[in-house]
Amino acid sequence: MTRIWTEKGFVDADPWIIETDEVKAGQGQTALLTIDELIERADNSNDVGLGVLVKPADDVSRLEPYLYRLALIAVAFPAFNDGRGFSHASLLRERLGYANELRAVGDVLIDQVPLMLRCGFDSFAVTNETALRRLSENRLPGISVHYQPTARAATGGEAYSWRRRSA
């Protein structure tokens, strides 16, 4: 069972769904579009509040002209060892300035959640039993020292004089 988690806790009625051959969006649900579907729909309508599913090999820069129309970008993590979603999140938040909901979907493990939060993710579609249990107990693993800048600044810890962010 997939549950949506944010730092405020689990979300009970999330309307977003990833459609498959077996699963289709029903009443009160909204399907996440592929990038190509989103671009086609956006070019042919004035719709806003759309959601898109970004896969690892997708080019997120294609979304730039449409970001203001998106309520949700879901970034797929098909396997725990595929880190391209972290790069997508960093590009969306830091370079493209996306400010709405950014969700990690797929193989979301508890050890990755703090790192995903630092990259700019703010919601997670979690299926892993251990992750679900630890999140329900509010037990995130801690990372006390960071030495690279990210979308979310580190709280506490050391400052590094050699680290500069370009404006």
Side-chain angles (χ1 to χ4, degrees):
M1 175 176 88
T2 301
R3 295 196 60 198
I4 306 302
W5 182 84
T6 70
E7 287 184 282
K8 295 177 182 176
F10 286 101
V11 176
D12 291 325
D14 183 72
W16 300 101
I17 188 164
I18 299 172
E19 290 189 325
T20 64
D21 291 336
E22 298 82 30
V23 177
K24 299 294 179 193
Q27 180 105 11
Q29 295 178 319
T30 306
L32 290 169
L33 306 170
T34 65
I35 289 181
D36 290 333
E37 291 169 340
L38 170 78
I39 291 170
E40 181 180 339
R41 183 166 171 182
D43 287 344
N44 295 316
S45 74
N46 292 322
D47 294 346
V48 295
L50 302 170
V52 65
L53 175 64
V54 175
K55 296 182 179 165
D58 287 344
D59 178 7
V60 295
S61 64
R62 293 177 61 205
L63 294 174
E64 188 171 17
Y66 310 100
L67 291 177
Y68 73 98
R69 296 170 77 174
L70 297 174
L72 172 75
I73 297 177
V75 178
F77 286 84
F80 78 94
N81 61 349
D82 190 340
R84 293 176 284 183
F86 288 96
S87 298
H88 289 330
S90 293
L91 288 170
L92 286 163
R93 291 289 194 210
E94 296 175 29
R95 291 193 188 163
L96 301 178
Y98 180 69
N100 291 336
E101 185 175 352
L102 187 59
R103 177 176 296 174
V105 301
D107 198 11
V108 177
L109 302 178
I110 191 67
D111 294 341
Q112 297 171 320
V113 171
L115 300 171
M116 290 174 170
L117 285 166
R118 283 189 40 85
C119 287
F121 287 100
D122 43 26
S123 70
F124 305 85
V126 183
T127 57
N128 180 278
E129 288 183 34
T130 301
L132 287 169
R133 185 179 69 255
R134 295 269 305 271
L135 291 170
S136 69
E137 296 167 352
N138 211 13
R139 290 178 43 215
L140 280 177
I143 302 172
S144 59
V145 178
H146 305 282
Y147 56 89
Q148 74 280 1
T150 60
R152 178 186 277 196
T155 56
E158 298 180 45
Y160 297 92
S161 61
W162 51 265
R163 181 173 67 192
R164 302 284 186 253
R165 285 188 73 160
S166 59

